[in-house]
Amino acid sequence: MDAIYSNGIWFAELLQRAPCLADFWLWVTFLGDPKCIFIMYFPIAYFLDRKVGVKVLWLGLISEWLNLVSKWFLFGERPFWWVLESAYSSKREVSLQQFPASCETGPGCPSGHCMITGAALWPLVTTLSAWSSQHSKSRMIKAVPFTVYLLLLLAVGLSRIFILAHFPHQVLGGIMAGVILGWLLESRAPLERELSFYLQASLFLLLSALTTFWTLIALGVDLNWSLSLATKWCANREWIRIDTRPFASLTRDVATALGLGLALHSSYYNHLKWEKLSRPQRVWCAGLATLVLKVLSNAAQPQNLALWYGLTFVKYATFPWVVVALLPRLVHAVASRKTPPHQK
């Protein structure tokens, strides 16, 4: 593995020889952040098509859970600590820069940014591809959605290598896993299921992950090894964030699965279920939802671990309701008031 890691460091150095592109790569790695599935891609996809939005969210949380569990078994070093922890840096001079997004605390294989984004965006890409096929006979236009999709995943992968969060083979593994998961799970996303299904799914995600975690601990596997190395070799302790810990993603997934079920069975959603919002209304809803979820996501970040996990659970359990029920109800109510009686 040392040869693979050494080649990965060489490639990262090659990318960092163009420091003028640092802002671009940091922006791309933000676009690939799994949190963007929940606070940006989900509302945009939902107000494009309700079923597509639910699929994006569901594939996002399932693939994130799978990524979490797979990292416990596959381990995987990260470049920002391996280059310093190993003998590599003592053998030759290394010129690499860390960034605030570099200091991920979990294992590195496979890349979550590539895997989760690849799986979650698959339903959106297939929908756009089908739409372009219906409206154009040009092969180039038909190929645009999948071309953009693959270029985005490639760019996200390169950005992760640039900031020293992943090695190239971890990125390639993440891309392949994401595409395969998207293809396999798109038709299996739960649409119009009973509330008990979402409750059971949420409990399964939680209990199965905890069972796996404690079983590995009982077998003598140190699952905190990556946190220790990240803390040891991160250039700035303030860059070590709670939301990069494994149980942060588990909290997000469990809460979202529960919140989606509650949202789809809420009175607000049932009231608007058979009404179609106009295109301007959907644009307003998508924009407002993205803004509101971003603000809520960034708000109140306590340093106490238990409080942080509890607050994160409440936030992500609420997010589907905000998108599916609250904002459509508010926008519809405002539009109804502005509509003259003779036009209703």
Side-chain angles (χ1 to χ4, degrees):
M1 288 300 293
D2 283 351
I4 295 176
Y5 289 147
S6 297
N7 289 329
I9 294 299
W10 170 83
F11 189 60
E13 286 184 295
L14 188 65
L15 289 176
Q16 287 199 3
R17 287 178 185 174
C20 58
L21 295 176
D23 289 339
F24 169 74
W25 290 126
L26 290 173
W27 176 69
V28 172
T29 207
F30 163 75
L31 292 179
D33 191 330
K35 286 189 297 185
C36 285
I37 303 297
F38 302 84
I39 66 177
M40 187 167 71
Y41 300 135
F42 162 54
I44 292 174
Y46 183 80
F47 292 111
L48 176 67
D49 182 279
R50 289 180 180 179
K51 291 182 179 180
V52 174
V54 173
K55 288 180 179 181
V56 166
L57 185 62
W58 189 256
L59 265 65
L61 69 91
I62 294 299
S63 60
E64 185 169 52
W65 181 88
L66 288 171
N67 182 262
L68 165 67
V69 175
S70 65
K71 283 181 175 179
W72 287 341
F73 290 94
L74 298 176
F75 296 94
E77 306 279 354
R78 290 188 184 269
F80 79 89
W81 75 54
W82 182 85
V83 71
L84 299 170
E85 181 73 12
S86 67
Y88 183 86
S89 58
S90 62
K91 294 179 181 178
R92 60 184 293 270
E93 184 178 352
V94 179
S95 179
L96 290 170
Q97 178 185 355
Q98 292 185 22
F99 300 88
S102 300
C103 299
E104 300 270 356
T105 59
C109 190
S111 167
H113 278 58
C114 294
M115 176 176 168
I116 300 163
T117 302
L121 293 186
W122 182 268
L124 183 60
V125 172
T126 56
T127 300
L128 293 175
S129 180
W131 181 86
S132 61
S133 297
Q134 293 174 358
H135 292 80
S136 176
K137 296 181 179 180
S138 170
R139 290 186 178 181
M140 290 185 62
I141 294 179
K142 292 179 182 178
V144 167
F146 276 102
T147 301
V148 173
Y149 169 75
L150 293 175
L151 288 176
L152 173 63
L153 293 183
L154 178 60
V156 170
L158 290 174
S159 75
R160 302 301 287 166
I161 299 171
F162 177 86
I163 67 171
L164 308 182
H166 286 293
F167 289 98
H169 71 282
Q170 297 169 346
V171 163
L172 292 175
I175 292 175
M176 292 175 62
V179 172
I180 293 172
L181 282 173
W183 177 68
L184 288 175
L185 298 179
E186 180 186 11
S187 60
R188 293 172 173 81
L191 301 170
E192 304 299 330
R193 298 292 294 269
E194 61 277 3
L195 179 58
S196 60
F197 170 85
Y198 299 96
L199 297 176
Q200 292 168 9
S202 180
L203 278 175
F204 172 80
L205 294 176
L206 175 63
L207 296 179
S208 58
L210 291 178
T211 300
T212 303
F213 179 84
W214 288 112
T215 299
L216 292 173
I217 292 292
L219 292 174
V221 180
D222 180 14
L223 294 180
N224 290 319
W225 68 275
S226 59
L227 176 60
S228 301
L229 288 174
T231 305
K232 179 180 179 181
W233 294 114
C234 184
N236 188 334
R237 284 292 184 92
E238 295 181 358
W239 295 348
I240 301 290
R241 306 187 313 278
I242 299 177
D243 65 355
T244 67
R245 296 192 178 195
F247 283 111
S249 61
L250 178 62
T251 302
R252 181 163 57 226
D253 301 333
V254 171
T256 301
L258 174 63
L260 179 61
L262 294 174
L264 293 176
H265 290 82
S266 65
S267 58
Y268 278 17
Y269 174 77
N270 289 326
H271 179 75
L272 294 172
K273 187 175 181 179
W274 305 112
E275 294 190 32
K276 288 188 176 181
L277 298 175
S278 66
R279 183 173 296 178
Q281 289 174 346
R282 282 184 284 143
V283 171
W284 272 104
C285 283
L288 286 173
T290 303
L291 177 61
V292 170
L293 297 192
K294 179 66 175 176
V295 170
L296 291 176
S297 177
N298 293 335
Q301 299 287 337
Q303 294 302 310
N304 180 275
L305 271 179
L307 186 59
W308 190 92
Y309 282 126
L311 188 58
T312 297
F313 183 90
V314 172
K315 286 181 182 179
Y316 280 88
T318 305
F319 286 176
W321 179 75
V322 172
V323 175
V324 169
L326 179 61
L327 289 178
R329 179 67 182 269
L330 291 177
V331 170
H332 184 267
V334 171
S336 297
R337 288 185 178 182
K338 291 184 178 180
T339 302
H342 68 276
Q343 292 184 10
K344 292 184 178 181

